[in-house]
Amino acid sequence: MSRSTLSVVCAVAIGTALVLAGCSRGDTADAAPPVSQFAEPVSITNCDVTAEFDAPPRRIVSMNDHVTEVLIQMGVADRIVGMGYRNATPTAETAEAFAKIEGLADEYPTKEQILDLEPDLVVGGMRSAFDDKEGRSRQTFAELGIPTFLFSEYCGSGFPDIGMLENDFSQLGDVLGVQEAADTLTEGVIDGLDAVAGELVRVTPTPTFFYDSGQDVPMTIGGVGVGQLIADHAGAANIFPEGERPYLDTTWEIVGERSPQAIVVLDYGDTSAQEKIDFLKNQPIAATTPAVRQNNFIVVPLDDFFESPRLVTSVETIARSLHPDRFQS
C-alpha cells in the first residue's frame, strides 16, 4: 500500500514515560482515512504512564481480543494494523470488522512482530500484554517512541467501580479523536447495568463461587477486579471478596466452609465448561456444597469477564439465573 510521511518528532522521558504519539520507526504509514492534527496536544496519564499525542494514532496494535472489540466499537477498526488472540470468537456486532484485522498470534505477538508493523499505539487489556520478560514492557516501547495504553483493571489498584471503565474509554476517545463514540459506548454499559439493577432492588445476594480453573488448587475471582463488579451488579455475593488481584488461588476446604449456593463456571481454554462441572460434581468437598447438590451452575464465557461492554452480558446472565423471579422474560 502507499504510505505517507510522518513528521512528528518523538520524545521520551523514562521517569514518567512521556511520549509523543504519531511517531513510528519508519517514515511511512498505510493509506488510511486522513487523521488531522489535534488543535492542541492531548495528554493522558494511564497506569502512571503519561503520554502526549499531537494527532490521533493511525497504526494501532491491539493485544487482547476484548480490546480489539472495544476499538472496533469506537469506530477505529480501520486503524488496527494487527491484533493478538486471532482465534478468539468476537461478538456478532464486531465479527465482520474483527475478521478483517490481521491476526498476529494465537495469544500475544512477539516484540518483533509488533515493531514490524510500525505502530504508533499499542493497547493491552491485561498486564501480561506488556510482559517485561518477553521484551514487551511499556518502558521498552516508550524508549522506542511508541506510546502504550493498558486497561486500568490491571494497573494494580483493582476495579473499584464502573468509573474506571468510564475514564479508560474517555481517555481512549480523546487520544483516538472519537470522543462521541467512546461516550456512547460508555453510556451503553452504564444503561445496561442500571437496567439489571432496576430488577434487583432489595434482592438478597446469593453466595456464589466463581470457578475459573484448577483441580488441586482452585482459582477464583478476588474482590478487586471486573469479576467482583459483575458479582455486585448481578446479585451474587462472591464468597472470596478478599485479595489484591482480580484472581486468586484458594483451597477446596475454604470453598466447602463458605458453602456457595451457586457456582459460576468461567468457560475458556482446553477444558470445557461441562468438564469443569463434571469435576466439581466429583470433587469430594465441592460435591457437598448446596450449589453442587442443587445442580446450580451458571456458565459464562471468560471473554465476558473483562473491562468491555461484554460485562453487561455476564451481569444479566448471572442475575437472571440467580433471581429469575425478578425478570419478566
Side-chain angles (χ1 to χ4, degrees), residues 13 48 67 106 164 216 244 260 263:
D48 297 326
V67 171
D106 289 346
M164 180 170 282
D216 294 335
E244 298 179 353
I263 297 178

Side-chain angles (χ1 to χ4, degrees), residues 1 28 30 43 49 61 78-79 85 90 93 125 139 176 183 199 246 266 281 290-291 295-297 303 309 314 326 328:
M1 297 184 187
T28 59
D30 282 344
S43 179
V49 176
V61 171
D78 58 340
R79 299 191 226 165
Y85 287 85
E93 295 78 9
Q139 180 172 331
L176 298 171
D183 289 345
E199 304 293 341
L266 298 184
K281 288 180 176 180
N295 200 37
N296 194 6
F297 297 100
D303 284 339
S314 58
R326 294 301 187 99
Q328 299 300 315

Side-chain angles (χ1 to χ4, degrees), residues 8 21-22 35-38 41-42 52-58 120 175-176:
V8 179
V35 179
S36 61
Q37 296 284 107
F38 290 125
V42 172
E52 189 172 280
F53 298 79
D54 286 342
R58 31 184 330 194
D120 51 13
V175 166
L176 298 171

Side-chain angles (χ1 to χ4, degrees), residues 74-292:
M74 286 188 182
V76 297
D78 58 340
R79 299 191 226 165
I80 305 174
V81 295
M83 64 178 179
Y85 287 85
R86 63 184 171 196
N87 289 333
T89 302
T91 61
E93 295 78 9
T94 62
E96 183 176 355
F98 201 96
K100 295 177 181 178
I101 300 169
E102 179 184 0
L104 303 176
D106 289 346
E107 294 187 2
Y108 290 122
T110 65
K111 171 187 172 184
E112 290 71 24
Q113 286 177 301
I114 295 168
L115 296 182
D116 283 346
L117 292 172
E118 301 181 347
D120 51 13
L121 179 64
V122 180
V123 186
M126 300 177 69
R127 186 177 295 276
S128 52
F130 297 113
D131 188 345
D132 185 42
K133 294 180 181 179
E134 299 295 329
R136 298 192 310 262
S137 72
R138 298 188 73 184
Q139 180 172 331
T140 294
F141 286 121
E143 291 171 351
L144 294 168
I146 303 170
T148 57
F149 188 94
L150 175 62
F151 279 30
S152 294
E153 178 187 10
Y154 287 87
C155 288
S157 58
F159 200 93
D161 53 52
I162 202 62
M164 180 170 282
L165 179 146
E166 290 184 77
N167 186 65
D168 278 355
F169 285 15
S170 179
Q171 287 191 331
L172 279 173
D174 284 342
V175 166
L176 298 171
V178 291
Q179 188 62 63
E180 185 176 349
D183 289 345
T184 298
L185 197 58
T186 299
E187 289 167 6
V189 174
I190 294 173
D191 289 347
L193 294 178
D194 287 347
V196 176
E199 304 293 341
L200 298 181
V201 176
R202 292 186 294 276
V203 76
T204 300
T206 303
T208 304
F209 173 45
F210 290 78
Y211 181 47
D212 177 277
S213 60
Q215 296 192 352
D216 294 335
V217 179
M219 178 181 288
T220 185
I221 65 168
V224 299
V226 167
Q228 181 64 49
L229 180 141
I230 289 170
D232 291 340
H233 282 78
N238 175 21
I239 65 170
F240 289 98
E242 64 266 33
E244 298 179 353
R245 293 186 176 186
Y247 291 85
L248 58 85
D249 291 334
T250 185
T251 68
W252 292 115
E253 286 76 13
I254 297 176
V255 172
E257 289 170 4
R258 298 189 180 182
S259 191
Q261 296 177 23
I263 297 178
V264 173
V265 177
L266 298 184
D267 188 10
Y268 72 100
D270 295 332
T271 303
S272 70
Q274 186 57 55
E275 288 172 325
K276 290 181 180 181
I277 291 171
D278 291 342
F279 166 74
L280 291 168
K281 288 180 176 180
N282 289 284
Q283 207 289 328
I285 297 176
T288 67
T289 65
V292 175

